[in-house]
Amino acid sequence: MYNFAPVAMVCVIDFNVKMEGLCMTISKAWDWNKELSPIWLQPSEESYFIAQRWKDKDFNEVLDFGCGLGRHSIFFAKQGFHVNAFDLSQEATEHLKSWAKKENLSIQVKNADMSKLPYDDNSFDAIYAYHVISHTDSVGIKRIINEISRVLRIGGEIFLTLCSKESWSYKGAGYPRLDENTVIKTDDGPEKGIPHFYVTLDDIIDLLADYDIDRIRHIDDCYFAGKKQNSKHYFITASLRAKGTSL
């Protein structure tokens, strides 16, 4: 078990929050004391490719969107980017601040909710959102994408992941549905009670109508933790073409 209280941005059901007359989830910190894997302290393999891509594009201002413990914040800062990072959990952001100090890296870290970002319009060249924005529902995802578009510069790029409707957790697990795209995980563990929003390829194209999509990959993590699995995600790279026309 970790000797700190690492937490990443997630959401739980709350029917007191309204948007356009509909209920949406609110964000709540995730207790990672129930998640023992060291993977959350290591950069994802995709981050290496994306870092080089963004260097080639002369991007400088990068936002680590829902940074958790800060594995990608540290990585991008070491690559020479000017990094901002946020997470809902103060424990997580304090961990990142301490880590950055030990590495002698300058990273601007804030506590924030992904549905209401504490940044000015047009603040960033690029946004990295890895396994984060799916932790909402069909109403929340639109608000989150609107916020991403608000703080991203025209021509700026996003790299994000979304849960696939072809996953067992959506099709076969029997989890209760919050809406047609969202299930609530009920297994004991760090994601118990957490909404997960799922998409098809067409859903992604609709959600990102203001973006020029460069590439969408559909990845099946079919074997891990010593057994066969069916855990599929979309990995998306896209650049912002226009502000606020689709959602």
Side-chain angles (χ1 to χ4, degrees), residues 67-86:
C67 61
L69 303 180
R71 58 179 177 153
H72 294 123
S73 301
I74 296 293
F75 173 74
F76 282 117
K78 286 183 175 181
Q79 298 301 308
F81 295 99
H82 181 219
V83 177
N84 277 259
F86 78 91

Side-chain angles (χ1 to χ4, degrees), residues 10-15 23-26 28 134-140 163 167-198:
V10 295
C11 300
V12 294
I13 306 170
D14 189 306
F15 294 103
C23 297
M24 65 175 290
T25 58
I26 62 170
K28 182 180 179 180
S134 287
H135 295 141
T136 187
D137 59 16
S138 295
V139 176
C163 298
S167 293
W168 171 84
S169 55
Y170 181 80
K171 294 197 305 181
Y175 294 132
R177 298 286 176 98
L178 179 59
D179 59 49
E180 64 177 336
N181 305 306
T182 311
V183 304
I184 311 298
K185 293 196 173 180
T186 56
D187 303 324
D188 287 336
E191 293 193 314
K192 185 175 183 179
I194 303 302
H196 283 67
F197 175 82
Y198 293 78

